[in-house]
Amino acid sequence: MNKNYYAILMAGGVGSRFWPVSTENFPKQFHDMLGTGDTLIQKTFHRLAHLIPKENIFILTNEKYNNLVLEQLPEVTQRQVVLEPAMRNTAPCILYASLKIQKENPDAVMIVAPSDHWIEDEITFSKNVQQAFDFCSKNDALVTLGIQPTFPNTGFGYIEFDKNTSDTIKSVNQFREKPDYATAKSFIAQGNFLWNAGIFMWSVTSVVEAFKIKQPSLYGLFENGMHAYNTDGEDEFILRNYPNAENISVDYAIMEKSTNVYVIGAEFDWNDLGTWGSLYDKLDKDTAGNAVVNARTLAEDASGNMIRAKKDKIVVVDGLNDYIIVDKEDVLLIYPKSKEQDIKKVLQKVKDVFGAEHG
């Protein structure tokens, strides 16, 4: 394997739309959401390890999840777990990890990948990443993987690319925010729009330079710690300085502001597993369209339901259609699939009424 290949695996999110399974203390990336025997972070780590040396895969996460990472990824050492002492969105943590990697290996080429996406065709995933690595090794480029839209989804941002080229790696014209339905339909009709999957590839030189030019204050804050990175003084520097970082996404910080941005249309299947509905779409269904994880189910006059319970628990459903039914220890959720985006709000109400320990 190429010792210059690195990965930053993003594993700090809470995944509140997957409540009650995903909680602040035990978020979705550490769960076996599809009942496959592997958690989402384990699947992602092993997918990246097809191409990248295991010791070069860094896990970016909140400090409260440090032990969970080490338990679920026994191949990983503490050196590879990059801890955020405060939540500041994706730009600060990516810059921090990039400077650490640059100090260790200035020739590094890297991928930034979320830990909670579901990709089955791992061979084609590796092929697309290799294409990006080859390009980034020779060019000053910020590359992203875009997903071919299958319907006018209003839950994703979009990437508009240059349609006047047949090259696999296309120049990005602009990033577009999550659209309304009519706008999403027009994007798809134009034929040169992809879903933004939040998967990025670049050389460490290119990404650090992009932060230096586009976000000089943020760059200055973290560049001041170069003497401490990868030493015993790193934790103290980060603890003191990280909370001063601006809360800003990497998309807004550098991708939307840069002119050397390119996209590869992903050739592999992809699901962002952002909601119970997206999990339902991914799972096998019974003849009535019910998707079941772990439970043993008796369904009468019930269809289109997403059902999850502990292993082998018997769940009887009658007269219920298109619902999310999740049984987890002290919480039972029975909620319409059509309102799944409101689960975040419901979780807050539960915390207000019953206490934070239930979220």
Side-chain angles (χ1 to χ4, degrees):
M1 282 192 177
N2 192 323
K3 63 180 175 53
N4 292 335
Y5 289 176
Y6 281 75
I8 296 176
L9 203 167
M10 307 288 284
V14 176
S16 52
R17 288 189 180 88
F18 271 113
W19 182 81
V21 168
S22 182
T23 64
E24 202 166 310
N25 290 326
F26 205 112
K28 68 173 178 177
Q29 59 267 30
F30 301 108
H31 287 276
D32 177 9
M33 295 302 298
L34 287 94
T36 63
D38 284 320
T39 65
L40 293 178
I41 193 171
Q42 288 170 333
K43 287 287 288 182
T44 306
F45 182 88
H46 294 130
R47 182 188 316 128
L48 293 171
H50 291 317
L51 187 65
I52 295 158
K54 287 183 179 180
E55 65 273 16
N56 288 358
I57 301 175
F58 287 77
I59 291 84
L60 257 174
T61 192
N62 191 284
E63 57 185 15
K64 72 169 76 170
Y65 306 138
N66 184 59
N67 289 340
L68 273 172
V69 169
L70 294 173
E71 284 168 21
Q72 295 204 0
L73 301 175
E75 310 98 315
V76 161
T77 64
Q78 188 64 62
R79 160 191 159 272
Q80 295 165 253
V81 188
V82 183
L83 300 174
E84 307 166 77
M87 297 185 86
R88 289 292 182 272
N89 214 315
T90 54
C93 59
I94 288 172
L95 174 58
Y96 166 34
S98 298
L99 288 169
K100 276 175 61 66
I101 291 170
Q102 186 180 46
K103 187 175 180 182
E104 178 176 299
N105 183 349
D107 297 321
V109 183
M110 57 202 255
I111 178 172
V112 177
S115 60
D116 52 1
H117 290 179
W118 188 259
I119 295 166
E120 287 182 16
D121 187 353
E122 297 187 340
I123 292 172
T124 304
F125 170 80
S126 293
K127 173 193 156 191
N128 285 158
V129 175
Q130 184 69 64
Q131 287 171 326
F133 278 5
D134 291 344
F135 186 76
C136 293
S137 298
K138 298 170 188 156
N139 300 278
D140 175 22
L142 308 177
V143 179
T144 185
L145 280 175
I147 308 299
Q148 193 63 48
T150 51
F151 66 100
N153 195 318
T154 59
F156 297 139
Y158 285 71
I159 301 164
E160 181 185 350
F161 61 83
D162 178 10
K163 62 167 68 170
N164 298 316
T165 177
S166 58
D167 294 343
T168 301
I169 302 176
K170 302 177 191 300
S171 178
V172 170
N173 292 343
Q174 61 179 325
F175 289 83
R176 304 291 287 266
E177 299 297 319
K178 295 175 182 177
D180 58 28
Y181 184 74
T183 306
K185 279 181 73 174
S186 76
F187 286 171
I188 290 176
Q190 289 175 61
N192 63 323
F193 283 81
L194 300 168
W195 288 338
N196 185 355
I199 302 172
F200 307 106
M201 290 132 304
W202 40 54
S203 70
V204 71
T205 304
S206 290
V207 70
V208 168
E209 187 67 15
F211 273 109
K212 185 177 180 180
I213 294 169
K214 304 300 179 185
Q215 298 295 330
S217 298
L218 192 65
Y219 171 80
L221 176 70
F222 284 98
E223 201 273 338
N224 284 337
M226 281 299 278
H227 67 281
Y229 298 148
N230 309 335
T231 75
D232 291 341
E234 179 176 338
D235 290 349
E236 183 189 346
F237 174 84
I238 287 299
L239 205 59
R240 192 171 68 249
N241 290 278
Y242 200 96
N244 299 325
E246 182 183 355
N247 190 324
I248 184 171
S249 73
V250 73
D251 296 77
Y252 189 73
I254 61 170
M255 298 301 283
E256 294 179 13
K257 293 177 167 60
S258 299
T259 55
N260 59 332
V261 181
Y262 298 84
V263 66
I264 295 175
E267 299 172 65
F268 50 85
D269 61 300
W270 175 86
N271 190 307
D272 78 323
L273 292 190
T275 63
W276 285 113
S278 63
L279 179 62
Y280 170 86
D281 292 340
K282 194 71 209 158
L283 292 166
D284 292 333
K285 321 286 191 300
D286 65 17
T287 53
N290 298 304
V292 181
V293 176
N294 297 334
R296 292 184 288 166
T297 306
L298 180 62
E300 299 283 344
D301 190 26
S303 64
N305 298 301
M306 172 68 237
I307 302 167
R308 192 184 198 275
K310 70 178 183 182
K311 188 147 184 68
D312 292 331
K313 183 161 189 174
I314 296 172
V315 178
V316 180
V317 186
D318 193 333
L320 210 55
N321 301 295
D322 298 318
Y323 266 72
I324 299 161
I325 304 161
V326 181
D327 182 37
K328 180 177 177 279
E329 294 150 9
D330 56 344
V331 178
L332 171 63
L333 176 74
I334 305 171
Y335 206 75
K337 270 198 328 206
S338 60
K339 295 174 66 179
E340 65 172 7
Q341 295 294 341
D342 294 338
I343 288 178
K344 246 184 174 177
K345 298 177 193 169
V346 170
L347 170 56
Q348 190 54 54
K349 287 180 186 174
V350 168
K351 287 181 179 178
D352 293 344
V353 175
F354 299 109
E357 68 273 15
H358 297 289

